[in-house]
Amino acid sequence: MEKKTRRDFMKTLGVSIGATGVLTSSLLSSCNRVEAVSGDKIKVLTAGGQLVEVDISQLKPAEFPSLSENQERGRKGIPGKSWVMVIDLSKCRNARECMKACQDHHQLRPEQHHINVLQMQDAEHTAPYYMPKPCQHCDDPPCTKVCPVNATFKRDDGIVLIDNERCIGCRFCIAACPYSARVFNWFEPRDAEKYEGVTYNIEANVPQKKGTISKCLFSADLLREDKLPSCVSACPNGVYWFGDRNEDAVTNGTTKETVRFSELIKDNAAYTLMEELGTKPRVFYLPPKDRAFPFEGDAPDHHDA
Amino acid sequence: MNKIESPEESRKLLDKIFKDLTRSIVKKDELTRFWFFILLMFIGVGLWGWIIQVDRGLGVTGMRDYVSWGIYIANFVFFVAVSLIGFLLSSAMHLLKIDWVKPVSRVAEQIAIAAVGLAGIIIVMDMGRPDRLLNVFLHGRFASPIVWDLTVVTTYLTISVLLFYIPLIPDLALLRDRLGSQVPKWQLKVYSILSLGWKGNPKQFKTVYHAMRVLMILIIPVGLSIHTVTSWLFASTLRAGWDSTIFGPYFVAGAFVAGTAAVIIVMYVYRVRHGLKDYFEDKHFNQMGKLLVFVSLLYLYFNVNEFLVPGYKMKLAEGIHLSNLFAGDYAPMFWFAQIFGLFIPIILLLFKFFRKPLPITIISAFVLVSAWFKRYIIVIPTEEHPFLPIQNVPENFHHYAPTSIEIMIMLFSFFAAIFIISVLSKLFPVITIWEYAEEKGIDKKYLSETPKN
């Protein structure tokens, strides 16, 4: 049990290093050499933003899978799972905690959105509403079809992933995606120097690379640790449900309540985005009915106030 | 096409034809040097721009997450379009035994080689990671239209080079035997190697005819595929403005228009610069004019289909796209391309006066510029209007405008294409000498005679 926690911690650490900017890769390599308990403590930030103190000898980068292993298991997916997301539009008030958490997790610049909260109005006189829009993880994805090098692909667990070690940067997938879900690294990615030397994790698409593509991955790295995607757990308003369709269970990121997926989408008349295109999205929307918050147009800065 | 019986007359005429058609090869003057200097300078500047782009990332361009294909791709489509003329003039019309195209077919092949070569280069320059080009071969997926495009572009380039080279072999032998001290030694050596020991006996000519015929037939499906597949890069997506079933023939028809105009311009340049008035005759311009009207009418028909049918229905996303073209930001470019690139040329070229060399060259210049605008309009406006709103991004994500780096690289591609054409015309005759001589009634046996100097 203890060992597992430590390994989990190490994985979290691998990702949080650059994101928090507290550790550098030189620390990791120095830790590699110190095996016995040294008594030297060091303060580190976890992905959750907690400051903790650990013994230097406990930092073991070797437990992180090698690049090729990571790519291999990243392509296969998590066995037996079939991930789905349900977004309750009646609960969203444009707090944008999901966008923030996502950008921190995936090393994204402020203008790069794996998830983007859009202000929608379907027709001239209908009510406007906020719509968080991640990658739809289509079961018939137009983006993977057009990729010339198989750098973006559909896994058995339903996630559409990217291998930015292989991407040639042709941007055909951007053209093909009707949901505008994909972003490109037009420049050096955010905090590039802090991520230097960090082993690429295909399931988080971190470190990002200049000249390659990125998009929402349902935080596949966190799913592997039995955690919810970062946007889902960051939401303060209970917008997101996430889970496994095979188990027919989805969990709310805010309340941690778990319900039957089939009942949730049936009772609330869930729909998918632009279903007429035949892409078969894995993201389900509950209509913005009986809304918890009024629509207030542009982003109100809830957290700064 | 009367056979000239007298050997004296035959020899004299052949000498004259040879002299006229090799004048550009033999001639050394300041203007030519200056021309190559200008071309190389622009090529250098463009390559420098590309180095900056590789170093800093594609962010130095005006492209962003929504408009992620810009003028590089528009340029790519333009080059593929122009290259298609090689297939039309030197293959399809040859096979239909339309004799007047013979002197024009090498010009068409020069343009085809230059354009398809640059199409290949510009697509690499558009890549975010050109260093990973090999991945396309290592991990290529045959389900991707890009892989189809790569296949047909390289095949078309190969066949075009062969279709340029094989009819050139007898000419190379002529150059080898007759130019003597008029050109540097290395150049003679090149001719000698490339002419593959050509002797000019009937068996060899039979082989050349046979090979040309095979290539001309082979290039038809490849030529049609190259531009059809290029159109599928767009038509295979779900985007409004690209999601069209007629994109293949629409692109092919447009390609004939652009390519015919390009050939007319190059013909005119050769006619004036190399004094080839008796070779690129008024009748050739006249015929090319008629061809341009014909392909323009075909293109007009596809334009009516492409814009009027969705314009009648005005489905939501298509409607936004079309309003943008007809009356929005892109209206000036759209109407310029339609009016000056299609309507007016069709009307003017119905009159014989406008099919004379100078007027038709000016008209062709408008047609070619319009063809480029048209490619811009096909590629960019669609991307500015995705299905979901563009929000929470900086202002420059909403609209595309090419940056100076993009313009540098675009100029590189134009000047590099002109450079290839210039080199080909400097090294090799711009009209197939032996074919032309035969056309004038000179027997083949005189070709293999070495003239007494």
Side-chain angles (χ1 to χ4, degrees):
Chain A
M1 185 61 209
E2 225 242 292
K3 206 179 165 216
K4 189 178 185 292
T5 339
R6 195 201 297 158
R7 187 192 303 142
D8 286 353
F9 172 66
M10 278 314 306
K11 281 179 197 153
T12 321
L13 183 72
V15 176
S16 56
I17 287 168
T20 57
V22 170
L23 286 180
T24 60
S25 56
S26 62
L27 174 65
L28 283 177
S29 53
S30 71
C31 302
N32 214 1
R33 277 176 263 122
V34 190
E35 262 305 321
V37 178
S38 64
D40 287 338
K41 299 275 186 185
I42 187 157
K43 289 193 175 80
V44 290
L45 260 184
T46 65
Q50 259 186 316
L51 196 63
V52 294
E53 205 170 57
V54 284
D55 195 280
I56 274 190
S57 64
Q58 287 191 308
L59 301 174
K60 283 180 191 161
E63 289 198 33
F64 192 81
S66 72
L67 178 62
S68 53
E69 276 172 57
N70 182 278
Q71 280 171 313
E72 203 188 321
R73 77 172 192 189
R75 274 187 186 264
K76 279 190 193 128
I78 301 164
K81 298 290 186 183
S82 179
W83 305 109
V84 284
M85 182 185 267
V86 181
I87 299 178
D88 188 347
L89 296 177
S90 69
K91 299 246 163 44
C92 181
R93 65 159 183 180
N94 200 19
R96 302 191 174 207
E97 295 293 340
C98 51
M99 291 166 69
K100 241 175 87 187
C102 171
Q103 290 187 325
D104 289 341
H105 182 183
H106 298 293
Q107 196 200 345
L108 298 173
R109 287 164 167 262
E111 71 274 15
Q112 293 181 304
H113 307 293
H114 281 186
I115 186 163
N116 197 355
V117 181
L118 300 175
Q119 297 172 33
M120 299 292 290
Q121 188 171 17
D122 296 339
E124 216 175 316
H125 299 292
T126 58
Y129 56 95
Y130 298 112
M131 184 181 85
K133 183 218 60 186
C135 167
Q136 305 292 303
H137 294 276
C138 310
D139 278 345
D140 197 355
C143 53
T144 62
K145 253 191 234 174
V146 298
C147 179
V149 294
N150 212 5
T152 183
F153 49 89
K154 179 86 177 165
R155 315 201 299 187
D156 289 343
D157 60 0
I159 296 180
V160 175
L161 217 65
I162 290 164
D163 184 349
N164 82 10
E165 289 283 332
R166 188 183 283 186
C167 174
I168 60 168
C170 69
R171 312 187 299 292
F172 201 172
C173 52
I174 297 189
C177 175
Y179 303 102
S180 309
R182 289 176 167 256
V183 296
F184 191 72
N185 284 301
W186 300 99
F187 296 100
E188 273 309 335
R190 158 184 164 184
D191 299 333
E193 57 303 335
K194 287 177 190 157
Y195 283 87
E196 219 173 305
V198 175
T199 310
Y200 173 60
N201 184 352
I202 193 171
E203 293 186 324
N205 204 30
V206 168
Q208 297 276 356
K209 272 177 211 72
K210 181 178 81 180
T212 64
I213 208 83
S214 190
K215 70 164 194 72
C216 158
L217 321 143
F218 273 172
S219 297
D221 58 328
L222 296 181
L223 297 179
R224 202 169 276 283
E225 300 165 35
D226 290 334
K227 286 182 186 153
L228 290 169
S230 40
C231 53
V232 173
S233 22
C235 177
N237 299 317
V239 174
Y240 298 98
W241 299 84
F242 192 89
D244 179 5
R245 190 159 61 186
N246 291 344
E247 284 176 358
D248 197 20
V250 283
T251 305
N252 190 290
T254 314
T255 63
K256 305 288 184 265
E257 185 192 351
T258 299
V259 299
R260 283 205 176 280
F261 166 68
S262 55
E263 276 171 25
L264 183 68
I265 63 166
K266 196 177 101 197
D267 294 348
N268 295 285
Y271 65 93
T272 55
L273 222 48
M274 293 185 246
E275 77 289 346
E276 69 275 14
L277 298 179
T279 51
K280 303 195 190 100
R282 262 171 191 267
V283 175
F284 296 81
Y285 286 93
L286 308 185
K289 187 191 168 236
D290 298 331
R291 269 182 276 170
F293 306 96
F295 180 86
E296 285 168 339
D298 274 335
D301 286 327
H302 293 294
H303 14 273
D304 297 340
Chain B
M1 218 189 303
N2 303 321
K3 204 122 183 105
I4 302 170
E5 293 299 340
S6 131
E8 270 317 302
E9 215 177 306
S10 290
R11 288 193 187 104
K12 235 177 100 186
L13 185 61
L14 180 64
D15 281 352
K16 182 182 172 338
I17 292 172
F18 183 81
K19 212 168 152 234
D20 285 343
L21 290 177
T22 53
R23 200 176 298 128
S24 59
I25 299 172
V26 180
K27 193 162 58 182
K28 291 186 189 75
D29 62 349
E30 288 305 316
L31 191 62
T32 312
R33 286 204 195 100
F34 181 66
W35 175 241
F36 277 101
F37 170 74
I38 294 280
L39 292 176
L40 287 171
M41 200 178 67
F42 272 99
I43 290 172
V45 168
L47 283 176
W48 180 54
W50 187 53
I51 290 167
I52 294 175
Q53 179 184 298
V54 169
D55 180 50
R56 296 197 205 148
L58 275 175
V60 299
T61 68
M63 297 185 277
R64 287 298 181 265
D65 289 341
Y66 296 90
V67 182
S68 60
W69 282 347
I71 56 171
Y72 298 153
I73 297 291
N75 236 359
F76 164 75
V77 179
F78 175 77
F79 276 122
V80 174
V82 169
S83 79
L84 209 56
I85 197 63
F87 138 79
L88 179 67
L89 285 186
S90 53
S91 152
M93 292 181 73
H94 256 254
L95 289 173
L96 292 172
K97 301 209 189 315
I98 297 169
D99 280 333
W100 65 264
V101 296
K102 281 189 181 171
V104 184
S105 58
R106 190 168 284 167
V107 176
E109 277 313 317
Q110 286 177 349
I111 292 176
I113 292 171
V116 79
L118 262 295
I121 292 172
I122 200 93
I123 207 83
V124 175
M125 290 180 143
D126 181 69
M127 286 166 65
R129 295 299 299 248
D131 54 313
R132 294 182 181 171
L133 183 62
L134 268 180
N135 279 8
V136 181
F137 302 96
L138 296 174
H139 305 288
R141 275 178 77 246
F142 273 99
S144 168
I146 285 189
V147 174
W148 312 340
D149 215 33
L150 190 84
T151 314
V152 288
V153 165
T154 45
T155 315
Y156 187 73
L157 179 61
T158 312
I159 300 183
S160 291
V161 168
L162 286 175
L163 210 46
F164 179 81
Y165 175 59
I166 287 178
L168 189 67
I169 296 175
D171 277 3
L172 287 164
L174 282 173
L175 297 172
R176 174 195 65 193
D177 298 338
R178 286 164 172 255
L179 279 181
S181 57
Q182 288 171 308
V183 293
K185 272 224 165 65
W186 65 266
Q187 204 168 331
L188 275 183
K189 189 99 187 158
V190 169
Y191 295 143
S192 162
I193 293 169
L194 288 179
S195 60
L196 306 175
W198 178 269
K199 288 196 185 68
N201 56 44
K203 208 179 141 203
Q204 284 180 322
F205 270 107
K206 212 179 146 199
T207 315
V208 163
Y209 284 130
H210 186 67
M212 277 169 69
R213 199 174 164 76
V214 169
L215 288 172
M216 282 177 196
I217 293 169
L218 268 182
I219 207 169
I220 289 178
V222 178
L224 280 175
S225 310
I226 174 176
H227 214 39
T228 307
V229 169
T230 301
S231 82
W232 289 349
L233 295 182
F234 307 97
S236 63
T237 70
L238 301 161
R239 300 290 188 100
W242 289 351
D243 185 3
S244 162
T245 52
I246 65 160
F247 250 35
Y250 170 56
F251 270 45
V252 169
F256 290 156
V257 175
T260 308
V263 168
I264 291 170
I265 294 169
V266 175
M267 270 167 67
Y268 186 77
V269 171
Y270 289 159
R271 176 183 155 113
V272 173
R273 175 88 181 97
H274 303 318
L276 296 177
K277 227 173 151 174
D278 301 332
Y279 296 83
F280 295 119
E281 297 168 49
D282 285 15
K283 76 164 188 204
H284 294 119
F285 285 90
N286 185 31
Q287 296 286 9
M288 287 299 284
K290 288 179 185 169
L291 178 68
L292 188 52
V293 172
F294 174 72
V295 292
S296 295
L297 283 171
L298 187 69
Y299 192 39
L300 183 65
Y301 169 70
F302 280 111
N303 268 281
V304 168
N305 276 275
E306 178 60 21
F307 292 107
L308 223 58
V309 175
Y312 186 86
K313 291 179 282 192
M314 286 303 239
K315 283 196 290 189
L316 186 65
E318 295 275 355
I320 295 169
H321 172 66
L322 291 175
S323 318
N324 196 22
L325 292 187
F326 295 161
D329 291 349
Y330 289 96
M333 224 186 237
F334 179 79
W335 291 113
F336 179 93
Q338 299 292 16
I339 293 169
F340 292 98
L342 216 48
F343 300 142
I344 293 182
I346 290 174
I347 292 167
L348 290 184
L349 290 174
L350 292 177
F351 300 98
K352 193 155 189 197
F353 168 78
F354 289 102
R355 296 197 299 266
K356 288 193 175 306
L358 186 61
I360 197 181
T361 304
I362 294 169
I363 292 171
S364 296
F366 274 95
V367 171
L368 201 61
V369 171
S370 303
W372 192 86
F373 282 152
K374 195 67 188 294
R375 304 306 178 280
Y376 189 92
I377 275 170
I378 288 172
V379 175
I380 285 123
T382 283
E383 297 173 278
E384 286 186 357
H385 296 283
F387 291 117
L388 294 173
I390 302 176
Q391 289 174 5
N392 308 321
V393 287
E395 183 49 38
N396 65 338
F397 279 51
H398 292 255
H399 299 285
Y400 170 78
T403 61
S404 48
I405 296 272
E406 277 170 288
I407 293 178
M408 274 159 82
I409 292 178
M410 190 185 87
L411 287 177
F412 155 82
S413 64
F414 289 152
F415 282 94
I418 296 171
F419 179 77
I420 293 175
I421 296 173
S422 299
V423 168
L424 290 177
S425 72
K426 183 70 195 150
L427 281 179
F428 311 115
V430 294
I431 290 177
T432 314
I433 297 176
W434 64 271
E435 211 175 46
Y436 190 83
E438 204 181 17
E439 203 73 355
K440 291 288 164 200
I442 299 168
D443 196 274
K444 278 203 201 74
K445 67 181 180 211
Y446 299 111
L447 290 171
S448 42
E449 286 180 359
T450 319
K452 31 197 183 312
N453 285 326

